Amino acid sequence: MAGLSSVPDVEIDSEGKFKYILVKVSEGANESKLIVRGTKQAEFHPDIFAKVEPVMKTAGFDTEVQGGGKTLHEPGKSIKVFSKSTGYGKADHSLTVAILKTAFPDYASIVWTEED
C-alpha cells in the first residue's frame, strides 16, 4: 500500500460551475486526510462519491463524506466555493479553500461564501 500521500488532495474539473464533495480518507485508526473532488458530470453529490469510494476502497482506504457544495472555477484565475449538498450537508468551505489554495498556488482568488 502506497499510503495516504499517494492520494491526490484535489481532483476537480478544469473549468466551470460544478458540485464538489469534501471527503475524509483514512488509513487505519490514526492516519487521515481531507480531499476535494468535483465534476460537472455529477448530477448529484452522491454521484461523485460513487466514483471516489470504490477507488479508495480498492487502495485499502476508508472514506467518509464531510459535506459538499459547489465551485465556480475560472481556469488560471479563481475558484469560488459556495452552497451545500442536500444529502451530505454543507462542507466546511474554509477547509476546502485551504486545500484548493495548496493545489492552485498561482490563483489570484480562492474564496468561499455562504451564498447559494
Side-chain angles (χ1 to χ4, degrees):
M1 192 172 343
L4 287 173
S5 62
S6 68
V7 178
D9 292 340
V10 177
E11 288 181 352
I12 61 172
D13 284 356
S14 59
E15 57 82 26
K17 181 178 174 183
F18 48 88
K19 291 175 172 55
Y20 90 91
I21 56 174
L22 184 64
V23 181
K24 181 179 179 182
V25 180
S26 303
E27 181 179 34
N30 298 321
E31 291 189 54
S32 68
K33 71 186 266 185
L34 293 173
I35 62 170
V36 177
R37 298 293 185 266
T39 180
K40 288 181 273 190
Q41 294 177 334
E43 185 176 358
F44 302 104
H45 290 93
D47 297 337
I48 303 169
F49 190 59
K51 290 184 184 285
V52 173
E53 197 262 346
V55 172
M56 294 298 136
K57 193 172 204 164
T58 299
F61 302 120
D62 294 321
T63 53
E64 182 183 354
V65 177
Q66 304 295 296
K70 295 179 184 172
T71 61
L72 183 58
H73 188 180
E74 193 174 337
K77 296 180 181 176
S78 66
I79 301 174
K80 179 177 160 185
V81 178
F82 61 102
S83 196
K84 65 183 182 294
S85 163
T86 302
Y88 296 130
K90 183 172 85 82
D92 185 333
H93 293 327
S94 65
L95 294 175
T96 302
V97 164
I99 295 166
L100 291 170
K101 283 183 176 181
T102 300
F104 298 95
D106 297 335
Y107 278 40
S109 175
I110 301 178
V111 297
W112 64 274
T113 178
E114 294 291 341
E115 294 175 9
D116 270 343

